[in-house]
Amino acid sequence: MLSDVGSASDASDGSLFVLNNISVADGEVIPSRVITGPATQLGNPVDIVLSGTELRVAEKANDAILVFANIFSGQSGDIAPDLITSALKPESLVQLTTPKQDADISDSTSPVVLLGVAVSSNPAAAGPTTGQISRVNAALTSELSQYNAMQNIESVTFDIAGNSYTSFDTADSGGIVISNRVATRRNGEQYTAAQDRIISGSNTGLISPKGLDVDSATGLIFVAENNATSPGVLIYSACASGNAAPLLSLNTAPARPWDVDYDPATDKAFVAQTNGTVAVFNEVRNKWLAGVTNISAANSIITPAINGTAVAAPTNLHGIDYDFASDVLMLSDVGSAADASDGKVYVLNNASSANGLTEIAVNIVGNNTALGNPVDIMYSGQHLYVAEKSNNLVLRFDNILSSGGGNIAADASYVFTAPESVAIVPVYLNTP
């Protein structure tokens, strides 16, 4: 479909053209239908929108929105529109659709059908998988697709549209790569400035970013900034690009964060820290909307405990996922980074009201678990997926909330080079 305004000074010479087989067309093409003439009310049709078989036209010269039904069929000629709505000098049109009601991938509260699980790789020495975001099937038996973010990836997540948000940490700077439709498309492609963007630079405060989360409904990106001088969580607009300053920062000093999960239902940010504790910040979005640009301290600090005693050192929390429906907090503990056998996964109940020593309800630990450095986790509403870096595995622990814990083997595993992060890819990311 094409609109032709003809002469901008003539309020009666506009036209509409319907062209068939356009994907293979070249050169002169004879329209299958031409609508023009005084009855059409077409003078300056400056924009059009197709909705099913209805064509809606912004007719600027005649101050109207015109609707032509069954645009693909019928005779050519001086065809009157099926509907005329007065509008003062309309310049453009856009069709509004019902927004998605699905949760962000980190906020799944019931079992979801998965297209797969996204895994990023960050080996100690650069290799073929460096910068790679792979999608593995949910059963963890085969790799389905690959995308190259062209950076040393620390963490990856997706918004509700399937765009990827990837943190990277180089020797002298850090940033976020935002790439379009990676969750469901872009197989075999790589980052390109033509359709992707980067947040990086001195104003961003990004020096050593690790885990990140996205709240699609409010358009906010939460990033755990791990540098020793100014550790905390930095929050950006999801529309940001280049050397953009954060909208809000959450101070965690002296503790250093590794991952963050923002829960929109409670407006809380749960932050996994490398000193073995979880910092919880309340009313994050509300405070930002009230004009706050820095929250200086957490409202509560959760310390995982066994029989009333804090988990013994070395303890080093990395992955975090909060489930609003059950009020449960899931954590991964890498223990000693040099030990490929001392990793753990914890489940803590009543997380929204927890403070201080908090008893571990499910403790998965031991040689059968294959947990050494479980650097990231994500909950699917039923199962827990784990990026186990030191043992080069992606693990899945089924029905995690009802698990008895202990020295249990994962229900599924997939060999993968130095997995650094994991993110579920629900089927609904592939719907308009």
Side-chain angles (χ1 to χ4, degrees):
M1 265 70 62
L2 297 170
S3 67
D4 185 349
V5 303
S7 170
S9 61
D10 190 331
S12 63
D13 70 338
S15 303
L16 296 175
F17 303 113
V18 179
L19 278 63
N20 294 334
N21 303 314
I22 200 65
S23 64
V24 294
D26 188 19
E28 294 185 356
V29 177
I30 298 175
S32 62
R33 194 178 187 199
V34 179
I35 298 175
T36 188
T40 68
Q41 297 293 307
L42 295 169
N44 285 181
V46 290
D47 196 22
I48 57 176
V49 168
L50 181 66
S51 178
T53 60
E54 292 184 347
L55 188 71
R56 295 161 188 179
V57 182
E59 171 45 54
K60 186 173 182 179
N62 292 308
D63 297 316
I65 305 298
L66 311 177
V67 178
F68 292 87
N70 301 313
I71 189 65
F72 298 111
S73 60
Q75 299 297 314
S76 295
D78 191 8
I79 310 297
D82 294 275
L83 179 67
I84 302 173
T85 303
S86 296
L88 183 62
K89 301 302 176 202
E91 188 69 44
S92 64
L93 296 174
V94 64
Q95 180 172 327
L96 299 179
T97 58
T98 302
K100 284 189 175 184
Q101 300 300 314
D102 301 295
D104 279 305
I105 63 170
S106 65
D107 300 321
S108 301
T109 56
S110 59
V112 294
V113 179
L114 300 181
L115 286 172
V117 180
V119 188
S120 67
S121 177
N122 190 359
T129 61
T130 299
Q132 179 175 298
I133 301 171
S134 297
R135 181 158 56 90
V136 178
N137 67 349
L140 301 186
T141 57
S142 63
E143 188 170 321
L144 305 176
S145 65
Q146 296 179 358
Y147 172 81
N148 190 352
M150 305 292 287
Q151 297 288 348
N152 293 318
I153 300 174
E154 289 294 333
S155 185
V156 64
T157 192
F158 303 101
D159 65 17
I160 200 69
N163 303 315
S164 67
Y165 296 75
T166 304
S167 60
F168 64 90
D169 182 359
T170 63
D172 54 1
S173 66
I176 305 166
V177 178
I178 303 167
S179 300
N180 284 308
R181 302 302 192 268
V182 170
T184 57
R185 305 174 194 173
R186 307 290 295 274
N187 183 24
E189 297 183 25
Q190 66 183 36
Y191 172 88
T192 169
Q195 58 181 317
D196 310 314
R197 55 195 162 95
I198 291 179
I199 300 173
S200 185
S202 58
N203 292 335
T204 67
L206 294 169
I207 300 169
S208 184
K210 304 300 181 184
L212 74 174
D213 192 19
V214 175
D215 183 33
S216 297
T218 55
L220 297 176
I221 312 170
F222 295 72
V223 186
E225 173 51 57
N226 186 252
N227 83 83
T229 303
S230 55
V233 173
L234 303 178
I235 303 171
Y236 304 86
S237 165
C239 297
S241 182
N243 193 15
L247 304 173
L248 176 66
S249 58
L250 314 179
N251 179 38
T252 64
R256 298 170 67 178
W258 194 275
D259 199 5
V260 56
D261 186 18
Y262 172 71
D263 177 53
T266 59
D267 197 17
K268 292 177 182 283
F270 296 84
V271 185
Q273 304 185 123
T274 57
N275 66 356
T277 66
V278 176
V280 184
F281 292 82
N282 298 343
E283 298 186 66
V284 175
R285 180 172 176 269
N286 283 344
K287 291 175 181 176
W288 167 60
L289 290 174
V292 175
T293 58
N294 176 265
I295 300 177
S296 60
N299 295 90
S300 57
I301 300 291
I302 299 172
T303 303
I306 301 173
N307 297 325
T309 302
V311 175
T315 177
N316 184 349
L317 299 184
H318 271 43
I320 189 168
D321 204 342
Y322 173 71
D323 178 47
F324 169 74
S326 59
D327 195 20
V328 157
L329 191 64
M330 288 154 277
L331 301 164
S332 67
D333 187 345
V334 304
S336 169
D339 191 332
S341 62
D342 71 337
K344 309 172 189 69
V345 167
Y346 308 138
V347 174
L348 279 62
N349 294 331
N350 305 312
S352 63
S353 58
N355 194 13
L357 292 173
T358 302
E359 201 68 18
I360 296 172
V362 178
N363 186 7
I364 300 177
V365 58
N367 62 301
N368 290 329
T369 69
L371 295 171
N373 284 179
V375 289
D376 195 26
I377 59 175
M378 185 164 283
Y379 180 55
S380 70
Q382 183 176 13
H383 308 320
L384 188 72
Y385 289 88
V386 182
E388 169 45 53
K389 187 171 184 178
S390 61
N391 291 310
N392 299 298
L393 291 169
V394 180
L395 306 172
R396 192 189 74 219
F397 292 92
D398 292 355
N399 303 305
I400 183 69
L401 301 190
S402 59
S403 171
N407 189 12
I408 60 173
D411 293 275
S413 63
Y414 183 77
V415 175
F416 194 90
T417 303
E420 188 70 41
S421 68
V422 63
I424 62 170
V425 184
V427 168
Y428 58 73
L429 295 189
N430 200 34
T431 57

